[in-house]
Amino acid sequence: MVSVGLLTLIAWFSSPNFSVDHSVKPGGDEAGKMCSIGAEIHAQPAPEPALHANENLTTERPTFVTHLECAMTGERYAADEIHNLSRAGKPLLVRYDLGGVKKALSKDALASRPPDLWRYRELLPVRRAENIVSLGETMTPLVPLPGMAKKLRGGEILVKDEGRLPTGSFKARGLVMAVSMAKAFGIKHMAIPTNGNAGAALAAYASHAGIKTTIFCPEDTPEINLSEIGIQGASVYRVNGLIDDCGKIVGEGKRKVGWFDVSTLKEPYRIEGKKTMGLELAEQLGWSVPDVIFYPTGGGTGLIGMWKAFAELEAIGFIGNKRPRMVAVQAAGCAPMVRAYEAGEEHAPRWEDAHTIAAGIRVPQAIGDFLILRAVRESGGFAIAVSDEAITQALDEVAREEGFLMCPEGAATYAAYKQSLADGRVKRSDQVVLFNCATGLKYPLPPIRRTLDRLKPIDFSQFEA
């Protein structure tokens, strides 16, 4: 029988931490040196444990939420109770003891954690690890577009590719936080109006948490979105109207059925999930911010969330007071924020006859309009509308020349950048970040009609460069 001690020696001899000193020569004290091997083995430190992929989901960390606050009036609300809108009918924002966060969290500690959304736990509202509902929310990459930058003679173009998240869109960020908080509160039934991607994210996370969902979509919602919502466990309905018409049904059902309304900005936590885009972006840029952010804007949760993230990062000493110029990108066929921005208004009336191929930004009226417009103006940014033709051209251009398939809403940001560069609203030296909010594979693509008959002679000259 092999002894435990011998097995230990064999294991250490095989270890990458063990090395033999080949300078030892046969002779006088060779035996003494060989006898010291055991002592040296025991003196070596144990190998470092591998980074645990789910550490952020399982480790209890200090929590710093203090209260909720009405975004319009500043009225305070208790943090650990179920809320939708404030008494003024406006969104509620989560507030933190940022002084406490500053003492508890360092850049080095953050860098040692797995690269996912939950690495920022001290700046998130979920207090206990057991309530985290996760499907693997990875940190999304910044993809450079050097060919486009050279072609446009502009500065560095980086695309934050949110299509890498679960369910293929940035809606995963907001809904994973809302569902995790719903689990913490014991909510059993959630409902949402959606143009597609938010419904898919809610269905997936709620099913994972054992929560029932009812989801309402405009009747022209792409079939792939309806199918993924249904197969991921939700009850999904087509509605003969737009997303705000669906929202009215959700609101009425809240009173009559008792489900929890998780519509955009009608609960406090989707903003907290979306703000992780700003936290990630600053970290990926070495704790700095770009000159300009182009963000596809419908309900505007992400734009509002990132603006909040930058303020919190400055408060804890991770970044300085520089802010990116925030650009709200809308489609010409549905541009309530652009109209309000250009008119100098704080609120944006409903856009009638809303239409665009970029369904994710077809939001006729946003409850957080004043928050979007404040962020845009405070940052020195602007709101801009692009045509469907420009969106289609941008999508085709980036795909063919960079090999990057954007979604229509993401392509709208590239079209807006081109337009802003041409009219001088963005400098040619500016570093810009475009948000691609979903994978392009979830949207209709142009058909391919070329065929080749293998049984007939093939003219290979057609393939020459």
Side-chain angles (χ1 to χ4, degrees), residues 11-54:
W12 272 101
F13 290 152
S14 304
S15 165
N17 290 333
F18 175 75
S19 61
V20 177
D21 185 354
H22 293 284
S23 65
V24 176
K25 305 293 183 185
D29 62 352
E30 180 181 345
K33 289 185 177 182
M34 294 301 292
C35 288
S36 70
I37 288 177
E40 290 175 7
I41 288 171
H42 289 293
Q44 290 191 31
E48 289 292 322
L51 186 67
H52 191 270
N54 290 330

Side-chain angles (χ1 to χ4, degrees), residues 293-454:
I293 289 175
F294 284 83
Y295 187 81
T297 305
T301 313
L303 190 149
I304 297 164
M306 283 192 285
W307 194 240
K308 184 174 186 285
F310 298 140
E312 291 174 355
L313 286 174
E314 182 182 0
I316 65 173
F318 277 32
I319 65 172
N321 61 8
K322 178 188 174 183
R323 294 290 185 275
R325 298 175 67 205
M326 307 296 287
V327 179
V329 179
Q330 298 201 296
C334 184
M337 296 303 150
V338 178
R339 185 171 60 189
Y341 170 78
E342 292 177 347
E345 301 292 340
E346 189 172 39
H347 295 284
R350 188 178 193 273
W351 186 278
E352 300 301 330
D353 190 30
H355 61 278
T356 173
I357 60 170
I361 53 177
R362 190 182 61 181
V363 178
Q365 190 166 21
I367 194 169
D369 52 1
F370 67 102
L371 293 171
I372 296 168
L373 291 163
R374 284 179 187 177
V376 166
R377 291 182 174 124
E378 288 171 10
S379 70
F382 53 93
I384 183 172
V386 292
S387 68
D388 279 5
E389 291 75 20
I391 293 172
T392 300
Q393 182 183 348
L395 195 157
D396 185 76
E397 184 179 345
V398 175
R400 291 184 184 280
E401 299 186 34
E402 291 279 14
F404 191 107
L405 182 60
M406 304 182 89
C407 65
E409 298 82 4
T413 66
Y414 178 70
Y417 171 59
K418 287 177 66 177
Q419 191 170 307
S420 303
L421 200 59
D423 66 23
R425 283 192 276 184
V426 173
K427 294 185 292 187
R428 295 196 177 275
S429 59
D430 282 340
Q431 180 193 57
V432 303
V433 172
L434 315 178
F435 272 81
N436 185 51
C437 53
T439 172
L441 295 173
K442 295 181 77 168
Y443 297 79
L445 297 172
I448 300 299
R449 309 216 181 268
R450 288 196 190 101
T451 62
L452 193 66
D453 188 342
R454 67 181 180 83

Side-chain angles (χ1 to χ4, degrees), residues 97-108 110 123 279 282-283 286-288 308-323:
D97 170 13
L98 295 173
V101 176
K102 186 174 184 177
K103 292 177 183 177
L105 183 64
S106 69
K107 293 178 183 178
D108 288 342
L110 198 60
L123 285 169
L279 303 177
E283 184 176 4
W287 298 114
S288 65
K308 184 174 186 285
F310 298 140
E312 291 174 355
L313 286 174
E314 182 182 0
I316 65 173
F318 277 32
I319 65 172
N321 61 8
K322 178 188 174 183
R323 294 290 185 275

